[in-house]
Amino acid sequence: MSGPALKHADSHSAIHEAALNEAIELTNMLDNLHQNNQKEEALELAYVLVEQWETRTLAHADAEEEGLYKDLVEENPEVKDDIVALTRDHDLLRIIVSEIKQDLPENGINDAIIQRFQSLIIVDELHNEKEMEVLPDH
Ligand SMILES: [Fe+2]
């Protein structure tokens, strides 16, 4: 995932939205299973959700850092600070996902882990907004 699709705000934003909407849907399902005390199903879905974050959003983040972000700084050194901030957002997502992965086998599903999944959504939403501001309109 690199090249022109990420350079254009419209196609890039569509990639964000598809991944984020899927994560929101799965997180809501997870929350419902947890509220209904369906422990096994909830745990299974939590692992699916971790994989969804890894294969969609974190893979997208890796691709951006390897390609798009470098290109943007090369084209316009003024965006350097924004790119550092956006990369830190990616790191926060990576840290939260890895904490969830550590916690799940030890503690299973609880309120705290649901909150961590919800925090991924909030961080990613804010990150995507900022990224759209940094992308040039061409
Ligand atoms: Fe992106």
Side-chain angles (χ1 to χ4, degrees), residues 111-128:
D111 288 343
I113 217 139
I114 302 279
Q115 282 161 6
R116 283 226 167 87
F117 277 118
Q118 287 163 340
S119 71
L120 285 172
I121 293 169
I122 295 167
V123 172
D124 197 35
E125 265 170 2
L126 293 169
H127 167 79
N128 291 345

Side-chain angles (χ1 to χ4, degrees), residues 87-103:
T87 304
R88 171 63 183 167
D89 295 341
H90 287 168
D91 286 340
L92 289 175
L93 295 172
R94 292 180 181 114
I95 290 166
I96 299 168
V97 168
S98 89
E99 283 177 351
I100 291 173
K101 278 176 85 171
Q102 253 191 331
D103 257 38

Side-chain angles (χ1 to χ4, degrees), residues 6 12-13 15-16 57 60-61 64 68-69 90 124 127-128 131-132 135:
L6 294 187
H12 195 139
S13 176
I15 293 167
H16 286 170
T57 305
H60 175 80
E64 285 176 337
L68 177 71
Y69 285 5
H90 287 168
D124 197 35
H127 167 79
N128 291 345
E131 195 174 277
M132 285 304 116
L135 276 184

Side-chain angles (χ1 to χ4, degrees), residues 38-115:
Q38 292 173 263
K39 291 195 165 106
E40 262 174 50
E41 293 91 337
L43 190 61
E44 225 169 273
L45 185 58
Y47 281 108
V48 171
L49 189 49
V50 165
E51 204 188 317
Q52 199 268 351
W53 278 103
E54 287 181 326
T55 57
R56 305 289 301 269
T57 305
L58 294 186
H60 175 80
D62 291 342
E64 285 176 337
E65 288 174 21
E66 282 159 25
L68 177 71
Y69 285 5
K70 285 184 183 149
D71 293 350
L72 290 177
V73 174
E74 223 164 85
E75 280 168 28
N76 177 12
E78 275 176 29
V79 301
K80 178 97 216 291
D81 287 350
D82 286 333
I83 294 298
V84 170
L86 288 169
T87 304
R88 171 63 183 167
D89 295 341
H90 287 168
D91 286 340
L92 289 175
L93 295 172
R94 292 180 181 114
I95 290 166
I96 299 168
V97 168
S98 89
E99 283 177 351
I100 291 173
K101 278 176 85 171
Q102 253 191 331
D103 257 38
L104 268 179
E106 285 169 27
N107 303 317
I109 306 295
N110 52 34
D111 288 343
I113 217 139
I114 302 279
Q115 282 161 6

